[in-house]
Each structure stands twice: as structure tokens, then as C-alpha cells.
Amino acid sequence: MSAANPTHRDAPSATHSTIPAWSRETYGPADGVRLTEIPMPVPRRGEVVVRVEATSLNAGDVRLLLGDPLLVRPVFGLTKPKHPVRGMEVAGTVVELGPDVIGIDLGTRVVGELVGGGGLASHVAVPASRLVPVPADVASGIAATLPVAAGTAWQALDLAGVGIRSIGGNPDAAPGRVLVIGASGGVGTFAVQLAALRGAEVWATCGERNAPLVEHLGAVRTIDHRRTPLSTLPGGHFDAVVDIAGGIPLRDLQRLVSDGGRVVLTAGNGGHVLGPMPRILAAALRSIGSRRRIRSLMATPRAEVLTALLDLTAEGRITPVIEREYGFARASSALAHVEAGHTVGKVVVRGAE
């Protein structure tokens, strides 16, 4: 058990009152993000301060940067963001403990998902319950890609029943054939690898230039659905469909799965006001009385899943795809790159030196 309120000899709160951070005080695009000084975080009860070594960016960071859809603003800030510093996935070293922290020691390298953001700063306060230790042979830049993107992929496959239930109710059934729609992004690259590890026959949609990568990750066939519409595939061809890209009509997705199969929606896209809510409600209605159910995933931080993902990474059984890595001084460019769309795999920002 760790003592309450000890201060590590390298803990910056002992010598510095502010830290560098990339911040935007109003909702808007990435070109308005500026390098500023913010107060050094002070850990509250159950929190630790982490010296950030790497932050991984997601499409969700861009949505919160823009305050889009409007539906999220009552939670994340009605007129301006409650958390002006973006970055939800971080890896780094614990340098200070708040009261009543148990199970994490000073100097431990950790990774986790933040509450609302804060990763694009030199230090951040995090609830200890959201953090897990990083194996010695996993670099911080690699570990930072896992909490949101890989965690979402894992939970989507669980919800689809891939590898954890017998599809169609047959206990002797194989894990089945799975279609991952939007396979070249952060969540998609993990979903392909994890589905293949679970023994599924993985099909995937992606652009033609990313097909070799996605096939290398474990897909037996790739489809560019802009050139080959999914409507050309036979009905009931898949035991599960994981839709990461969004935008495909629900009836077309439902047609692709066999009786007893599932469609899982992970995409958070939609209109400017209500976002994905109309699509989520429509999916629930279409599932009533149907043996081809459509489920909407609301992924949550799960320490046991993140620990399993770190183990798989340390063993070389999954490999995070990092398209670009930016120094801390170019964090705004990293956000702009993600905002532009079409990111392949993950984008990582190194910590401040």
C-alpha cells in the first residue's frame, strides 16, 4: 500500500507552478490550438500525477475540440470546453500520489484513458483506477495507442460475439466470418488483428492503397466499398459485422449478417445537433423481433481489457499501427492531421522534454 501524499523528488509541483500544454479555450478547429502555460495539476483523492511521455490522438479528440455534436456540450462544456487540453490516451511515469492511492507506486510507468482530455500537456492528474502498469518491453508511444482505440475494438468484438460465443447457437461452430468496415483507422487496425486472433475469418473494407496493410494485419479479403458496393455481397454472408466507418444504411448492414448474427456500430458520426443518436435509435428499432440484431457500442475504460491488450502487444501478437509521430512542439499539427480525416492507424505525440 502506498503512503498518502508523498512527493517524488522529481515531482514538478515541488518546484514549478505551471507546465506547458496545448490548449484551446473555445470550441473550434485545430488551427486555434495554442501552446500555453497552465497550472501544475495537484492530485486529488485517489489520483496520481503522471509525467506524460506519449499521447495518442483519436477522432473523438477532434469531436470534442469542435464541440460536435451539440449534444455533447452539456457534459463537456455548454459554451466552452471544460477540458481545453485535448488528448485522451496517455502513457507516462507516476511522479506524485494523491491521498488514498493504493496499488500504484511512484516511478511506475502507466497507461490509461483520461477523463475528458488533458494529454497534450507535460503532466496530468489521473484517477489511479484508470491506469495500469506498462510492461518493461512496451514503449510508451506504443502503449498510448491502446486504451481507446484497441479497447473499443476489443469491446466491439465482444458485443458481436466474436470468439466468446458460438454464432448461431451451435456450440461446435467456428468463430465465423467477420466484416470490419473502416479497417484502416485506429479502431479498425486493432479490430482486424483481434478478430483474427480470435480465430475469425476476417474481411475488411478500406481504400485500395491501404489494402496491403490490412491484409498483413490478418484480413483474408479487402474491399473498397466505394468501388465495390457492399450491396453486391450476398445476404447473410457474415456472422458478424463491425461498422467503424458509419454512413452505410442500416438495412444494408443488417442484410449482410446471417440469422443469429450481429451488427455492432462503433461510429460516433451523425448530424451536428444530435450526432449518432438517431442512428442508434433506428438500430434499436430495426432489431426488435429480428434475429439479425444491430447493437450500438458505448465503449468504457476497462482495466482488465487494457492489461490483456498490453500483454498481447508485449508478446508481439498485436502490433499498433502508427502512421505518424509528432514531437510535443508540433502537437497542433498532429491534431490538424487527425481533423483532416483519413488517418491510417494511430497518431502519437511525444511528451514534452
Side-chain angles (χ1 to χ4, degrees):
M1 180 180 297
S2 303
N5 278 328
T7 301
H8 189 265
R9 60 184 177 88
D10 294 329
S13 57
T15 56
H16 300 288
S17 59
T18 63
I19 59 170
W22 287 92
S23 175
R24 178 171 181 136
E25 298 294 333
T26 60
Y27 289 118
D31 61 11
V33 175
R34 297 288 182 265
L35 183 59
T36 61
E37 293 286 320
I38 64 173
M40 166 60 60
V42 176
R44 296 178 295 183
R45 187 174 303 277
E47 291 185 338
V48 303
V49 173
V50 175
R51 182 178 65 243
V52 179
E53 296 168 4
T55 300
S56 180
L57 300 178
N58 301 278
D61 287 301
V62 172
R63 287 196 293 271
L64 291 179
L65 183 69
L66 299 172
D68 184 57
L70 297 179
L71 184 67
V72 307
R73 295 196 182 189
V75 176
F76 293 101
L78 195 59
T79 60
K80 62 180 182 179
K82 292 180 182 178
H83 302 278
V85 179
R86 294 271 48 82
M88 293 185 289
E89 296 177 291
V90 297
T93 300
V94 175
V95 296
E96 192 172 358
L97 305 178
D100 299 333
V101 171
I102 299 174
I104 293 183
D105 296 319
L106 292 169
T108 302
R109 201 157 56 93
V110 293
V111 64
E113 179 180 345
L114 304 182
V115 180
L120 292 180
S122 66
H123 297 77
V124 66
V126 192
S129 60
R130 284 180 170 254
L131 299 171
V132 300
V134 178
D137 49 356
V138 177
S140 293
I142 296 294
T145 67
L146 299 174
V148 174
T152 297
W154 181 292
Q155 293 178 54
L157 293 172
D158 281 356
L159 190 57
V162 178
I164 62 171
R165 72 181 180 94
S166 55
I167 296 175
N170 179 3
D172 299 319
R177 182 182 295 124
V178 178
L179 175 65
V180 178
I181 300 175
S184 61
V187 177
T189 51
F190 284 116
V192 170
Q193 294 182 75
L194 291 169
L197 275 180
R198 296 184 183 200
E201 177 188 318
V202 184
W203 292 38
T205 75
C206 62
E208 184 177 2
R209 70 183 180 92
N210 296 323
L213 167 66
V214 174
E215 290 169 1
H216 175 74
L217 296 176
V220 300
R221 180 174 172 183
T222 56
I223 303 166
D224 186 342
H225 65 79
R226 292 166 298 186
R227 297 186 177 186
T228 305
L230 297 182
S231 58
T232 63
L233 295 175
H237 196 59
F238 300 97
D239 299 289
V241 172
V242 177
D243 180 23
I244 301 163
I248 297 175
L250 295 176
R251 63 178 179 277
D252 292 342
L253 295 176
Q254 197 172 33
R255 185 189 68 83
L256 290 173
V257 293
S258 58
D259 284 351
R262 293 182 186 177
V263 175
V264 173
L265 310 177
T266 72
N269 58 349
H272 177 57
V273 177
L274 297 178
M277 288 307 300
R279 185 173 171 86
I280 291 172
L281 293 174
L285 290 173
R286 290 193 67 88
S287 296
I288 296 175
S290 174
R291 286 184 49 79
R292 303 179 179 189
R293 300 189 65 185
I294 306 175
R295 303 288 298 276
S296 299
L297 174 67
M298 300 295 289
T300 57
R302 291 170 53 187
E304 72 279 9
V305 169
L306 182 52
T307 299
L309 290 164
L310 286 163
D311 290 342
L312 290 173
T313 303
E315 295 164 4
R317 299 179 69 190
I318 61 172
T319 302
V321 176
I322 299 177
E323 180 190 32
R324 297 190 186 184
E325 187 172 309
Y326 292 79
F328 185 77
R330 300 189 61 227
S332 61
S333 297
L335 276 168
H337 178 68
V338 176
E339 182 184 3
H342 310 297
T343 300
V344 178
K346 298 289 294 178
V347 169
V348 171
V349 179
R350 297 189 297 274
E353 298 180 357

